[in-house]
Amino acid sequence: NAGVTQTPKFQVLKTGQSMTLQCAQDMNHNSMYWYRQDPGMGLRLIYYSASEGTTDKGEVPNGYNVSRLNKREFSLRLESAAPSQTSVYFCASSRDPLNTEAFFGQGTRLTVV
Amino acid sequence: QQQVKQSPQSLIVQKGGISIINCAYENTAFDYFPWYQQFPGKGPALLIAIRPDVSEKKEGRFTISFNKSAKQFSLHIMDSQPGDSATYFCAALNSGNTPLVFGKGTRLSVIA
């Protein structure tokens, strides 16, 4: 049982490059989330999808776009990467829309130089 | 505006001691308060959670104390062990309306 799987695990980008972070869950969950984690800042919500077909902005959406491809997959895209987007990105999912327990992936460590 | 304020940022506790981490919130619509535990290189994982209709919840060595009138809740780790060394996050949500919002985290080190 894989749970929440994120790819890639590590990535280095040059300023201005674009990339997509992939996330897939095999728990038949309805809601999915993207958070970023920075030292001393905790986990901040970038975007979320309460259910298939919907997406909403979180606390720090600028510079990002998302796609809820299907019930299993939720991708995060950086169109023009900036050094301020250097962070660890976590995808999470929960069973019911905006319901209690969220299950997290292992994270993607992104460095923008 | 930070919705959940967590303290301290870091904590060092002797093995066998009690670790206490505190959180405060402003939004009275929050109705679920979990604590997440994160080991280095891993994603956060749910440790224990409480709803505001009870003042305390205990699971093994971990206890959440909840004070609704003060809008505060805390995590107590009894008989702290080196294996408890991790980063702990408090969080809150309004079920069905808003996603989890997290505190900034507390790095706990339990030393022998």
Side-chain angles (χ1 to χ4, degrees):
Chain A
N1 191 352
V4 179
T5 302
Q6 292 182 235
T7 55
K9 288 186 170 50
F10 302 93
Q11 184 71 48
V12 178
L13 286 179
K14 293 182 179 179
T15 297
Q17 286 186 319
S18 62
M19 81 161 295
T20 300
L21 280 63
Q22 306 286 354
C23 175
Q25 51 90 9
D26 62 3
M27 295 175 284
N28 198 34
H29 284 173
N30 288 291
S31 298
M32 298 186 74
Y33 315 85
W34 277 105
Y35 288 88
R36 61 177 288 174
Q37 183 176 17
D38 302 291
M41 298 298 291
L43 291 151
R44 293 182 293 170
L45 184 65
I46 305 171
Y47 271 94
Y48 66 100
S49 172
S51 58
E52 187 179 358
T54 70
T55 59
D56 284 286
K57 295 179 180 179
E59 180 186 355
V60 288
N62 292 344
Y64 305 96
N65 285 299
V66 290
S67 295
R68 184 74 183 265
L69 303 170
N70 47 56
K71 190 173 184 178
R72 289 187 63 248
E73 298 172 289
F74 188 39
S75 63
L76 178 71
R77 183 160 179 84
L78 287 70
E79 291 291 351
S80 178
S84 62
Q85 294 178 305
T86 293
S87 187
V88 181
Y89 291 85
F90 287 99
C91 177
S93 69
S94 63
R95 186 185 71 242
D96 296 320
L98 305 179
N99 197 18
T100 54
E101 182 174 3
F103 293 81
F104 283 80
Q106 297 273 58
T108 296
R109 184 174 293 274
L110 175 67
T111 302
V112 183
V113 297
Chain B
Q1 180 185 2
Q2 191 182 1
Q3 297 194 56
V4 180
K5 294 184 179 180
Q6 182 173 348
S7 63
Q9 277 190 317
S10 63
L11 182 61
I12 300 174
V13 173
Q14 293 276 355
K15 179 182 175 181
I18 303 173
S19 304
I20 302 174
I21 306 170
N22 301 299
C23 281
Y25 65 97
E26 289 297 325
N27 187 347
T28 55
F30 287 148
D31 60 1
Y32 177 74
F33 301 89
W35 285 89
Y36 279 76
Q37 180 187 54
Q38 183 184 32
F39 293 106
K42 304 292 186 183
L46 179 65
L47 180 64
I48 186 173
I50 196 168
R51 291 200 179 271
D53 52 343
V54 295
S55 60
E56 185 175 282
K57 183 174 182 180
K58 184 175 182 179
E59 291 183 1
R61 296 184 293 109
F62 301 90
T63 299
I64 300 179
S65 297
F66 186 82
N67 186 330
K68 189 173 182 179
S69 61
K71 293 185 285 187
Q72 295 176 347
F73 58 110
S74 60
L75 176 69
H76 296 235
I77 306 174
M78 312 299 288
D79 187 26
S80 299
Q81 299 297 312
D84 296 330
S85 297
T87 298
Y88 293 82
F89 294 96
C90 62
L93 66 71
N94 179 7
S95 299
N97 285 292
T98 58
L100 279 169
V101 289
F102 287 85
K104 292 188 175 183
T106 297
R107 179 173 288 185
L108 171 66
S109 298
V110 181
I111 56 176

